[in-house]
């Protein structure tokens, strides 16, 4: 059995049904022979983003796979792999490599050296007989522990060599570990002592599929729940105890309750300090439940650490509450407080959310989008910058894995690949990406991939003809040299690539256009709706001082733009 055939057989045994890639990488052809669908993209970044979504939306049960050619193909992929690494997403990347005799000769690009800092592991295949061991190590790292890209480099001179038969490979084990029982008891002590605890849930809830346990704990002890951006949709945001998600822009409920908390229970999160996540208040007592011990006390001091799978951790906490016969608490007061704070915050934003002005308010576009789609049967993702900040605080995610949030690093154009990968993983869902005119400049040509590969996504483009977020810091260069001005007719672009494109300028046409777009996706056609919007700079950003200002104002909810 040749190396390529053996790789395809191993992938098939591991449940891989499709491979995203860019030629020439011989895995693509060998996979097709083995009835694994190859999906060819226009650039490497987008393909890795697609593989990323495939892994996310199966909670890592199905591993997204991307392959590319040696040299420039591997170099082009670097940023997307770094993005997946920052997001802890398990994907298998199999780049081509230079012939073994040249692999370490400067200036040839060597993935095993250059990509070590952005991957969970990286290993070359140097001896065909070692292929089962190399792939076993790769999939074991993908299916166990905290996620991350795993790279197996295939030298270009090895394809015609033989792998011993019969192929000695079985699908790898997937294991889970739980927390120290003494730490669980200490955590429950803190939870029962706390008067105003808050749960901060991360994407570990998604990978552990711990959604029922999270809800059970919140309801039993009447604890309000906010999520990280990556964890958004881990807790139903229409629940009475839901605060919303924390990114750079957040609902005021998140700030109000975190700042007023006497205990923060972080579960399935890293507590990584980032400009694109919720600003955690200092000086709070904290329980940190995480799969990776290296995260404990990395950025946020923990009084108790629970190391292990989020579902097993929450199971253990619930069992300890049962053992102590701890009674359920009433939600009434806390739910009323959440509703009051949320209502005041939304009231301040309603002018933008329902604006009839033209150019359109991006908030109005996204507000109408949410009211038009079947949210429970929709998967949506944002892009970097304004689309993220304008969508995430206001979109109410009701079902697990219905929102792909991201942001520890912020590559423009990431959302398109995520939406296409989501549609491949969940073809029955309406899959949407929301991006701006800067983001489409990075990955827009891969809209043609959606057309050619028959991936009918709904792409919402907010076009303000500007790099608007940069306007306050580039005022002179903009005035003198138009440095932040960008342009294009992207509806025409979408039609030229074979999809459905429509440009919308009238507020009254927002909902009808969305309905037309959905209908086209149901007919199997990728859609790009281009909304001409204002250069909106306001976002729902709330620094940690917000709660103190609320207190000073005698209880009035203060809003920060």
């Amino acid at each position: 059995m040749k190396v390529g055939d053996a790789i395809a057989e191993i992938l098939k045994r591991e449940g891989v049904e499709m491979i995203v890639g860019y030629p020439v990488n011989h895995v693509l052809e060998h996979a097709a022979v083995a009835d694994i669908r190859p999906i060819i993209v226009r650039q490497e970044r987008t393909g890795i983003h697609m593989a990323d979504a495939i892994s996310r939306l199966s909670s890592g049960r199905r591993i997204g796979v991307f392959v590319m050619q040696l040299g420039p193909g591997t170099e082009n992929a670097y940023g997307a792999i770094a993005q997946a690494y920052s997001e802890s997403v398990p994907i298998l990347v199999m780049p081509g490599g230079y012939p073994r005799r040249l692999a370490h000769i400067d200036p040839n690009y060597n993935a095993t050296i250059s990509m070590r800092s952005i991957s969970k592991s990286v290993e070359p295949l140097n001896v065909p007989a070692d292929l089962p061991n190399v792939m076993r190590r790769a999939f074991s790292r993908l299916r166990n522990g905290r996620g991350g890209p795993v790279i197996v480099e295939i030298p270009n001179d090895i394809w015609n060599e033989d792998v011993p038969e019969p192929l000695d490979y079985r699908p790898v084990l997937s294991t889970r570990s739980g927390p120290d029982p003494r730490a669980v008891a200490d955590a429950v002590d803190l939870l029962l002592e706390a008067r105003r605890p808050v749960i901060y849930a991360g994407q570990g809830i998604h990978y552990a599929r711990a959604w029922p346990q999270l809800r059970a704990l919140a309801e039993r002890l009447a604890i309000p729940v906010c999520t990280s951006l990556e964890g958004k949709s881990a807790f139903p945001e229409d629940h009475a105890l839901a605060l919303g998600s924390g990114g750079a822009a957040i609902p005021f409920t998140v700030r109000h309750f975190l700042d007023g908390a006497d205990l923060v229970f972080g579960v399935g999160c890293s507590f990584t300090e980032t400009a694109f996540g919720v600003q955690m208040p200092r000086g709070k007592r904290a329980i940190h439940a995480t799969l990776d011990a290296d995260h404990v006390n990395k950025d946020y001091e923990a009084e108790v650490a629970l190391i292990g799978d989020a579902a097993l951790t929450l199971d253990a906490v619930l069992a300890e509450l049962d053992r102590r016969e701890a009674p359920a608490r009433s939600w009434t007061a806390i739910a009323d407080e959440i509703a009051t704070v949320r209502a005041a915050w939304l009231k301040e934003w309603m002018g933008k959310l329902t604006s009839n002005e033209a150019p359109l308010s991006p908030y109005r576009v996204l507000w109408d989008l949410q009211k038009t789609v079947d949210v429970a049967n929709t998967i949506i993702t944002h892009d970097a910058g304004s689309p993220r900040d304008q969508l995430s605080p206001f979109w109410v995610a009701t079902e697990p894995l219905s929102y792909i949030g991201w942001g520890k690093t912020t590559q423009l154009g990431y959302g398109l690949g995520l939406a296409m990968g989501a549609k491949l993983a969940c073809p029955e869902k309406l899959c949407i990406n929301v991006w701006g005119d800067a983001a489409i400049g990075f990955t827009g040509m891969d809209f043609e991939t959606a057309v050619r590969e028959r991936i009918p996504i709904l792409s919402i483009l907010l076009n303000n003809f500007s790099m608007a977020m940069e306007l306050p810091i580039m005022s002179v260069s903009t005035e003198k040299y138009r440095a932040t001005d960008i342009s294009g007719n992207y509806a025409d672009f979408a039609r030229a690539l074979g999809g459905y494109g429509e440009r919308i300028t009238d507020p009254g046409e927002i909902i009808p256009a969305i309905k037309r777009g959905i209908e086209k996706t149901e007919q199997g056609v990728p859609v790009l709706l281009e909304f001409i919007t204002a250069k909106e700079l306001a976002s729902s950003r709330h620094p940690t001082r917000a709660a103190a200002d609320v207190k000073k104002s005698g209880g009035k909810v203060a809003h920060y733009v």
Side-chain angles (χ1 to χ4, degrees), residues 282-432:
R282 298 295 174 178
K284 305 292 183 182
R285 304 182 83 180
I287 303 166
H288 192 178
T290 175
L291 191 59
D292 191 338
D294 286 345
H295 286 157
V296 176
N297 292 324
K298 178 173 71 73
D299 299 290
Y300 199 67
E301 184 179 0
E303 188 168 336
V304 175
L306 304 174
I307 309 301
D309 173 86
L312 293 179
T313 296
L314 291 173
D315 283 338
V317 169
L318 290 165
E320 180 65 12
L321 289 170
D322 287 341
R323 189 186 69 77
R324 300 188 190 190
E325 298 182 348
R329 295 173 177 172
S330 170
W331 310 352
T332 303
I334 197 74
D336 287 348
E337 185 180 353
I338 292 169
T340 299
V341 174
R342 177 180 290 115
W345 167 70
L346 277 176
K347 183 178 180 181
E348 292 182 355
W349 281 94
M350 204 52 65
K352 292 183 181 294
L353 295 169
T354 60
S355 170
N356 283 316
E357 294 181 0
L360 305 172
S361 163
Y363 289 102
R364 166 70 186 273
V365 173
L366 299 176
W367 188 251
D368 281 0
L369 177 68
Q370 183 170 192
K371 293 185 175 303
T372 306
V373 304
D374 179 1
V375 172
N377 290 301
T378 295
I379 299 170
I380 191 167
T381 189
H382 57 267
D383 219 286
S386 297
R388 173 197 62 227
D389 295 349
Q390 291 159 359
L391 178 68
S392 63
F394 300 99
W395 188 273
V396 179
T398 60
E399 297 295 323
L401 298 173
S402 62
Y403 191 105
I404 305 177
W406 53 275
K408 288 192 180 71
T409 182
T410 55
Q411 285 200 354
L412 281 166
Y414 189 23
L416 175 65
L418 289 177
M420 289 196 287
K423 190 65 177 178
L424 289 168
C426 304
E428 75 285 0
K429 302 281 190 178
L430 173 65
C431 296
I432 305 173

Side-chain angles (χ1 to χ4, degrees), residues 416 431-433 435 447 457-461 527-530:
L416 175 65
C431 296
I432 305 173
N433 73 299
W435 52 349
F447 187 80
I457 61 167
L458 176 60
S459 193
I460 302 294
L461 180 71
V527 172
L528 189 148
L529 300 180
E530 179 187 16

Side-chain angles (χ1 to χ4, degrees), residues 110-128:
N110 188 309
T112 62
I113 296 172
S114 299
M115 292 184 170
R116 192 167 299 278
S117 64
I118 56 164
S119 61
K120 191 172 181 182
S121 74
V122 55
E123 182 175 1
L125 175 66
N126 288 323
V127 179

